[in-house]
């Protein structure tokens, strides 16, 4: 067992079936200093109680997952999605204030896929930009950074019409960097021929709101959403990507976010320990 | 049943389990004028006999599938792959000469994935460029165009380290356009935020060696290689993509290439008829 990297943050999705109390406990017990939370387990206990629990844990809060789903045309469903994002902004601000010193108020946004029956990818992308335009002033007022997360292109139709870091930065460019940034997640962007130059650009433009790591391996499982692995178990070169992020001056925590049925079936305490060990081996050496 | 579009070509993989004689017969019987062949069924009967069968069919020949797999480091395996590509170039030239007037000598290249145990994506891409450099003079001498096919990023680790049309064009840029071009396949590139500008660029640079169409739909099947659909059955906007290709002056045939277990299980004569009908509905209206 290696020393735990002080910059490691456990994204709660990595231990999906742990409730909030368990997630906080096993993370702190493993000597990990930070956590990224998901809305559902927070809302299961209620925001105020969740904030108190987080505060009691002594952990830093790194991101809130997740808002977004912005691709619907005007109407009641879109309005409801925007309202839900307003609640997510409030949750993010509250949790960041409750976390230990060094917490960051970052709300991760997943763009959403093509609306049912639509083939208008360009229109869907415009609606993402429009929704961020609506929410940006509210995020700014709350001191929250919206982090547009490009998702791997295999999710372009059903989950996120934002597929590359360059595209996320093009959308973010309309807004202040403290208000709209990007989530840099190795799983989603490792394949991109432009990845290193776009990471450098994201840094120059002050847009790296969060750096998240996990690995890619084939064959993909039948549900490709669950094809994320411990760092080092797949083919991603964490050296070049991590050095590129660090070279921009990124000094925040680094989340490990894994969706994987086998890992979810393991005991949360095992998972966080193995996450810390694999992070120490695959990522820490590149943190300079 | 619609009229068959005169520019439609059946890629033989769409009727994977048909031998060469069957593939040629059902294609011609359906009133389709062109076909793209695969190496295995050609070599099953032998190149000379295949060429005679193709000639007798009266069909145009559009592409040969496929060469590539260029990412191995120097050594016997890489040498064998290059030799195999030399044979593929010869096959392409022979078949193009045997096809009806308007045939094109295009060899589709799939780059290959990361070598076993490697995480060096950048190095693998360099080896693709190097291999094309070795083969380009031989392709030129044979009058064959090598068509670099960017594959969807979900195949970046295990099948093709060339993931975008822009990247394929960057590699092709070192060579003459008649010798090295790109395969523009809607399935692989529809999601790309830069797709329309890169199609325009490919046209300007004289690099669209073949335009191939099929559709994308989720959920993906457990083998994501088989997630290709009839045009119109998924979410791809064939209007914008096809108009962009045609706007470049592309005047060749258009292949439908579908890998799909359900479609492969259907009778080849049904499949080619349905391919023609769905092409007429989804693609033909945009051919101007």
């Amino acid at each position: 067992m290696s020393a735990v990297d002080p910059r490691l943050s456990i994204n709660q999705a990595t231990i999906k079936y742990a409730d909030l109390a368990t997630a906080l406990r096993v993370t702190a017990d493993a000597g990990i200093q930070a956590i990224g939370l998901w809305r559902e387990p927070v809302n299961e206990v209620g925001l105020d109680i969740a904030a108190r629990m987080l505060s009691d844990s002594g952990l830093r809060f790194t991101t809130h997952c997740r808002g977004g789903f912005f691709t619907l045309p005007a109407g009641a469903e879109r309005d409801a999605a925007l309202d839900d994002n307003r609640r997510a902004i409030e949750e993010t601000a509250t949790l960041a204030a409750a976390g230990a010193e060094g917490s960051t108020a970052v709300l991760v946004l997943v763009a959403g896929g093509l609306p049912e029956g639509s083939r208008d990818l360009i229109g869907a992308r415009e609606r993402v930009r429009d929704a961020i335009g609506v929410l940006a002033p509210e995020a700014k007022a709350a001191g929250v950074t919206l982090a547009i997360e490009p998702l791997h292109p295999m999710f372009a139709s059903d989950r996120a019409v934002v597929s590359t870091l360059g595209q996320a930065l093009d959308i973010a460019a309309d807004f202040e960097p403290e208000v709209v940034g990007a989530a840099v997640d190795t799983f989603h962007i490792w394949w991109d021929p432009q990845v290193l130059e776009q990471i450098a650009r994201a840094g120059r433009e002050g847009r790296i709101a969060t750096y998240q790591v996990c690995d890619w391996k084939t064959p993909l499982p039948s549900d490709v959403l669950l094809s994320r692995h411990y760092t080092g178990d797949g083919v991603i070169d964490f050296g070049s990507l991590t050095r590129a992020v660090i070279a921009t001056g990124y000094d925040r925590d680094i989340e490990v976010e894994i969706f994987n049925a086998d890992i979810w079936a393991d005991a949360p305490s095992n998972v966080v320990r193995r996450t810390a060990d694999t992070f120490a081996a695959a990522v820490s050496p590149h943190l300079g």
Side-chain angles (χ1 to χ4, degrees), chain A residues 32-164:
Chain A
I32 295 165
Q33 300 183 18
I35 193 164
L37 296 180
W38 277 61
R39 299 190 64 202
E40 295 76 2
V42 164
N43 286 315
E44 204 171 77
V45 300
L47 179 58
D48 292 345
I49 293 175
R52 190 159 356 116
M53 291 166 67
L54 174 63
S55 174
D56 290 346
S57 76
L59 296 170
R60 291 187 298 274
F61 173 76
T62 49
T63 70
H64 201 37
C65 295
R66 57 198 181 172
F69 299 94
F70 290 144
T71 52
L72 290 169
E77 275 192 272
R78 181 177 180 83
D79 293 343
L82 288 171
D83 281 344
D84 194 48
N85 276 277
R86 292 182 175 102
R87 285 189 293 277
I89 289 169
E90 182 201 338
E91 292 165 17
T92 305
T94 302
L95 293 167
E101 193 185 333
S103 292
T104 48
V106 173
L107 174 62
V108 176
L109 301 182
V110 170
L114 285 170
E116 184 68 31
S118 170
R119 296 189 175 95
D120 181 12
L121 193 55
I122 293 170
R125 288 169 173 161
E126 282 307 312
R127 290 192 292 278
V128 172
R129 186 190 299 267
D130 292 346
I132 292 173
V134 170
L135 295 171
E138 307 183 33
K140 182 176 182 177
V144 168
T145 303
L146 304 173
I148 305 170
E149 182 167 28
L151 258 54
H152 192 285
M154 70 185 174
F155 302 119
S157 62
D158 62 358
R159 195 162 294 268
V161 297
V162 177
S163 302
T164 66

Side-chain angles (χ1 to χ4, degrees), chain A residues 214-215 229-236 238 278 282:
Chain A
C214 74
D215 218 334
H229 297 269
Y230 289 119
T231 55
D233 281 1
V235 300
I236 292 179
F238 291 101
T278 51

Side-chain angles (χ1 to χ4, degrees), chain A residues 155-232:
Chain A
F155 302 119
S157 62
D158 62 358
R159 195 162 294 268
V161 297
V162 177
S163 302
T164 66
L165 181 54
Q167 185 190 7
L169 294 174
D170 286 347
I171 295 173
D174 289 348
F175 308 96
E176 296 167 75
E178 308 73 39
V179 182
V180 182
V184 174
D185 182 318
T186 57
F187 176 84
H188 293 304
I189 65 172
W190 70 277
W191 59 269
D192 186 346
Q194 301 177 348
V195 65
L196 295 179
E197 70 193 68
Q198 293 298 334
I199 289 173
R201 173 189 167 198
R204 275 197 313 277
E205 298 178 356
R207 303 277 181 190
I208 306 183
T210 177
Y211 178 45
Q212 302 185 331
V213 293
C214 74
D215 218 334
W216 169 278
K217 186 163 75 168
T218 57
L220 301 173
S222 59
D223 180 351
V224 294
L225 194 60
L226 308 186
S227 54
R228 300 169 67 109
H229 297 269
Y230 289 119
T231 55

